[in-house]
Amino acid sequence: MPTRNDIRNVAIVAHVDHGKTTLVDAMLKQAGAFAAHQQLDDRMMDSNDLEREKGITILAKNTAVKYHPKDGGAPITINIIDTPGHADFGGEVERGLSMVDAVVLLVDASEGPLPQTRFVLRKALTARLPVILCINKTDRPDARIDEVINETYDLFLDLDADEDQIEFPIVYACARDGVASLTKPENGTVPADSTNLEPFFSTILEHVPAPTFEEDAPLQAHVTNLDADNFLGRIALLRVEQGELRKGQTVAWIKRDGTISNVRISELLMTEALTRKPAEVAGPGDICAVAGISEIMIGETLADPENPIALPLITVDEPAISMTIGTNTSPLVGRGGSGKGADAKSGVKVDRKVTARQVKDRLDRELIGNVSLRVLDTERPDAWEVQGRGELALAILIETMRREGFELTVGKPQVVTKEVNGKTHEPVERLTVDVPEEHMGAVTQLMGVRKGRMDNMSNHGSGWVRMEFVVPSRGLIGFRTEFLTNTRGTGIAHSIHEGHEPWFGTLSTRNNGSLVADRAGVVTAFAMTNLQERGVLFCEPGTEVYEGMIVGENSRSDDMDVNITKEKKLTNMRSSTADVAESIVPPRKLSLEQSLEFCREDECIEVTPETVRIRKVVLDQKDRGRTASRAKKA
């Protein structure tokens, strides 16, 4: 079969924070993608605000570098897909892998293969893609290169890799310094026999197969991602499998339901570095973007009008976690962070979106570009069940909507169960925990309460222990905060979906109840001083509260209704203790993820552009009491 030797398509896959985006930055700089006068940021591929804030890749993105071989041959275009390292964004990984012919598996020289490494590698091996192993961060003081390579071989064997797949080349790199070598350096050192990424580029050219195609085959191009442009409208990112795609060409658009209609390509764009530039033609193996098809969806095919042949649809794993997202139903709806109108913090008036129609339209828009998400109707017309891969993926969606001006009510995360042979099965996770030896007992006890089953334990002799547990997904809701507390902030935990197992039974994860405001008003320092011995407070003086809003965590297991708006009475009597200053313990500020972890079944979260509040589903104190008494009698 003919091949295109001027192109290589490769995806970089790894666990979170093992250096994918840093490596892509170094490749772009060394391939001459930027002029000398250009000001460059770190992690240029993380263009999303949330990606920069959280330090993780959320969206799969592509870039292209022109590599000029040292032997003076013609320049070769290397298309690089930077994929997320978190299993919650697995839909992005699967789409990215459908565009490439090989993967670079990046592994930290100290941490070694972790759960997300297993996840992305399993996807690559299933797709029969060749693998290049890159051991990154060789300069870490605690690097253990030989052990990490052996662990990676074990992982390949564990995932049933065949003989061809396990014979992979190994590159050693320090992506931060832009240095790579084929010779193993000493632990804790930068490769000494190289000053750049030349060995890495040459390994890609040698081991990544060039795209193959059939002569005179009809056009076939697979839509793998979507983007939007203010001038061009919806843009479809696709890989041309066969034939040629030209600007102005009329093509057959094969939709998900099998129907075919003819459309015209109004604009054809090719990626160079971080920008898309107009092009006239794209051939087999090219990754390009087209405009002019306003309703096109991921997984659909552009084909020859005379001989339309559809490519297989992209399939992704089933969702494991769900939560209810609806309109904001609190008494402070539409009134800002302080409850008094516009955004009090920034002074910017927010365009608030509070109606059910606006929320539903936004969720429908999210479905267009996010193939791993599902939105189902509920009994209420203003709330929908949103299902996704994990808690983080759904929290990112809520945070994005919040920044766009939406006000939402979000329910406690639940697991998505399924029936197998008449029995209820629930999703389980494989949790890998790295902790200092002295905290091993605390973690084991914590996992025992959450029905975790220890699968493996290893001690590297450095004072740290690695433990692997199989645990129900609902046991990990609210786990992270308690885990960090028990390990004094030193523990590292990562989990990945491991399939479904029979229902594990009742779990009780949060032992403490809530402090619930029993009336509307403004929080006072006097009331906080009296209440802080009852538990941990979440509000500061001056915050507006309403009946049913949770203002703190009780030190006991049951809920307590409190008056946090109580004022100090003024009298004309003098007292020896009247002017004693009371000290207030600083309140605990909960982020959106922490609020989702804290939430109980009868609680939900009010999300606005300025604040995140936890509240009872039933706000009225008497109604909650009646419901509780009925439940006891039943």
Side-chain angles (χ1 to χ4, degrees), residues 328 330-344 352 354 407 544 606 608 610 613:
N328 188 3
S330 94
L332 298 183
V333 58
R335 291 173 57 194
S338 62
K340 296 172 185 173
D343 183 356
R352 299 189 183 282
V354 297
E407 294 200 9
E544 188 166 354
E606 177 193 352
T608 73
E610 300 84 16
R613 306 182 185 99

Side-chain angles (χ1 to χ4, degrees), residues 486-506:
N486 288 2
T487 61
R488 305 285 194 276
T490 58
I492 303 168
H494 298 286
S495 63
I496 178 175
H497 182 62
E498 185 80 353
H500 288 74
E501 289 190 15
W503 186 259
F504 279 70
T506 308

